[in-house]
Amino acid sequence: MQRLNLHTLSIALAFSCCRTVAAHQAAGDIELLKKMSLEDILNVEVVSKKTESQYSAAGIVSIVTRDDIERYGANTLADVLNRVTSVYMLSTYIWSNSTAAVRGDALTHVNNHTLVLVNGRPFRDSAYGGLNETMFRDFPIHHIEQIEVVRGSGSVLYGSNAFTGVINIVTKKKQDNRLTVRGRYGSYNTGQAETEFGWNNGDAAISGAVRYRASDGWTASAVDETRQNVNFRNDDGDVSASIWGGWKEFDFNLYIVNSQKQHWGAVPIGFGQQVENNRLFFDAGYNHQINDFWRSKWNLTLNKFSQNYNLPVSGVPYMTDLWENNLLLEQSHFLSFFDDKLNLLFGGLVEWQQGQVTQVSQPNTLAPYEQLKSSIYANVGYALLDNLKLNLGGQWHRFDHLKAAPSGVAESDSAIDGLVGRAGLVYEMTANWGAKLLFAQAYRAPSAGELGANSAVVLGNRSVEPEKVETADAQVFYHDADYQVSLTAFESRVTNLIVRSPIPNTVPTRLLYVNGGSATFEGLELETEAKLLPGLSWKGSYTFQTNRDENQRNNKTLLPNHMAKLGLSYEFSPSLQIGAFDTYFSAAKTAPNALLVNPPAGGYHNVSVNANYKLNNWLGVAKNKHMTFTLYLDNLLDENFYYPEFNRKNINTIPAAPGRMLFGEIALEF
């Protein structure tokens, strides 16, 4: 494996060397969270772009708190998300921990039906439209305040890719002055160092985390598309930093990462090659309270991305380089009238995107592109009664292609525009019981690759139109200080799917992007959380989903029909806490014509155990500066499990993860 980018490493070391004056212990806020009721902490920002109760919000939302992350442990954000209701984390042959499939929706190896946000701002790429592995695998999870996962459509407020799910990563913001240093080591010679820091001086504040990780990786053994036995190590490493800062009405978010990972390749053939990702996300915001009922917010968001990998297949060199720059300007206005009974939100945005993909055998695999995307949106929430809330919203969007299509690509100069809307009723029947009835539309704009690719295998099409979905949700819920439970029924109808169709009389066969096919998703979700006894809590969910194609054939996406997730946590003493989590998925399906060359993607239990022990009293360290030892055991049952190969569908499965793993960590607070 090559060395990580020296420039990025120097940035990480600079942050790691910074010193803050410790005023309060980092664990103090965690202790406060443990004493709060469930009703106190279940607030979300993602549904309406403002803070509101999970129960009154016009969306189906799951929340992961930082206390949950502390209780149950994790190595990556992917580990955390895999425990969320209706989320199925999986890898593909080219990207690992790259896909968060919500409610069974995973149609390609690009995670373009799930939109990731950082503090409400879109983390999005334009060339392929869903390369999220640098978030799911590399984000410093100890900088997370909470995670909000919307199950269902969110395009009215967030635009393209908010199709069947939205994941909002809310980072820690204004904190007491603190510095925490963590060191972790475990299976496969995996080492990790992480520094978290916070500084607060009234009007100005900053918080962040810097992480360095390297691993020899586990050995992936499988049979490839040529029926050849292959094995290679999934070694990986990254340097990443997440930082939030604020001064008066201004704030910013920064996420930067350089990561390298061994992967199978552009196709599942051969013995693996290395892929390198460089990602920069930066958002600057200005939030101004104009008067008592009007608040305005402006944001400028930059997403920069580069990637390179290579893999020779049948003599064709796939040495590939990708770069892109995406700049978004957005304004939002929030108005509140009649003692907060009427809430209006309206805004608009414009986004300029540019990029290119080159291969050594084809310099303009994706010729330099420029495109402009814009939209305007509005949403109104009105309390028809004291306990009955109506929500209505809509968005108009337009995509302009500013450069001519590459040679050989089907041409279309016309811009694409469209409308999506949403409507919902939230009825809180009593102080504890309530119900939601929601309907929302969403879209997924074609990526630059789908519009302009010109490789030896795939050809873009400028006439491709956005994918569309309509989702209906019905939910009933109960909550009090110690218990919450909800039951949700959903149905999503996806149309205008963008697929690859063989081009007649081409040798070897080339594929053209076209609109074709549809899918329907239906299911039930049960979600529970409880504080059972002093020190004992649980969190769990069950999901049943089924999906079918336009010909009413079941299991279009091959993903498991059943998911059951349950976590139990107990505090034996103020110094010792143990949590265990079981994530169960039923067997995934196999594509009809796939080669049955690898073990099936059978059902499995992924059981993890996490123990936190504070060493203060034992070592005689000051009680307000914790020293914590953490032991994290992943895949306790030592199961071997496989993911369906759902993209090319030429082989049945790919290796998913190694067996049992053990990690130990020391965290020191200063």
Side-chain angles (χ1 to χ4, degrees), residues 40-51:
D40 292 329
I41 61 178
L42 297 182
N43 290 320
V44 297
E45 301 175 5
V46 67
V47 176
S48 302
K49 295 196 172 188
K50 66 186 183 87
T51 301

Side-chain angles (χ1 to χ4, degrees), residues 374-376 395-399 416-420 443 466 468:
S374 54
S375 67
I376 55 175
Q395 185 198 96
W396 173 84
H397 49 266
R398 176 186 173 99
F399 315 134
I416 300 173
D417 60 15
L419 289 168
V420 291
Y443 66 95
K468 300 176 182 178

Side-chain angles (χ1 to χ4, degrees), residues 468-481:
K468 300 176 182 178
V469 65
E470 295 183 343
T471 300
D473 293 284
Q475 182 184 79
V476 59
F477 58 83
Y478 172 85
H479 63 96
D480 62 21

Side-chain angles (χ1 to χ4, degrees), residues 91-133:
S91 299
T92 68
Y93 51 81
I94 187 169
W95 295 298
S96 65
N97 293 327
S98 58
T99 297
V102 181
R103 292 177 168 177
D105 183 2
L107 293 165
T108 76
H109 64 332
V110 178
N111 193 204
N112 53 29
H113 284 182
T114 304
L115 178 63
V116 176
L117 310 171
V118 179
N119 290 321
R121 306 304 304 152
F123 179 84
R124 191 158 40 202
D125 62 281
S126 57
Y128 296 123
L131 302 184
N132 292 326
E133 69 170 332

Side-chain angles (χ1 to χ4, degrees), residues 559-579:
L559 298 196
N561 296 123
H562 301 271
M563 309 180 200
K565 307 179 180 186
L566 177 63
L568 286 171
S569 174
Y570 186 67
E571 295 175 39
F572 290 87
S573 70
S575 297
L576 177 62
Q577 178 191 76
I578 295 180

Side-chain angles (χ1 to χ4, degrees), residues 506-578:
T506 56
V507 181
T509 301
R510 296 185 78 187
L511 303 172
L512 177 69
Y513 284 110
V514 297
N515 292 109
S518 63
T520 301
F521 298 82
E522 297 171 330
L524 292 172
E525 300 164 325
L526 176 67
E527 190 170 27
T528 69
E529 188 169 0
K531 293 187 174 182
L532 302 173
L533 297 169
L536 179 64
S537 63
W538 100 340
K539 191 165 190 171
S541 66
Y542 167 75
T543 300
F544 168 76
Q545 71 81 23
T546 182
N547 60 82
R548 57 186 182 273
D549 64 14
E550 63 276 10
N551 297 315
Q552 304 304 305
R553 291 177 297 212
N554 289 329
N555 301 310
K556 179 179 179 68
T557 68
L558 308 182
L559 298 196
N561 296 123
H562 301 271
M563 309 180 200
K565 307 179 180 186
L566 177 63
L568 286 171
S569 174
Y570 186 67
E571 295 175 39
F572 290 87
S573 70
S575 297
L576 177 62
Q577 178 191 76
I578 295 180

Side-chain angles (χ1 to χ4, degrees), residues 569-626:
S569 174
Y570 186 67
E571 295 175 39
F572 290 87
S573 70
S575 297
L576 177 62
Q577 178 191 76
I578 295 180
F581 209 102
D582 180 16
T583 302
Y584 170 75
F585 298 106
S586 64
K589 308 302 183 292
T590 300
N593 299 317
L595 297 173
L596 303 180
V597 291
N598 294 308
Y604 65 89
H605 291 265
N606 189 358
V607 179
S608 62
V609 178
N610 189 69
N612 296 310
Y613 183 67
K614 293 182 175 62
L615 303 173
N616 303 55
N617 294 333
W618 184 52
L619 296 177
V621 181
K623 292 186 177 180
N624 65 335
K625 295 181 179 67
H626 289 296

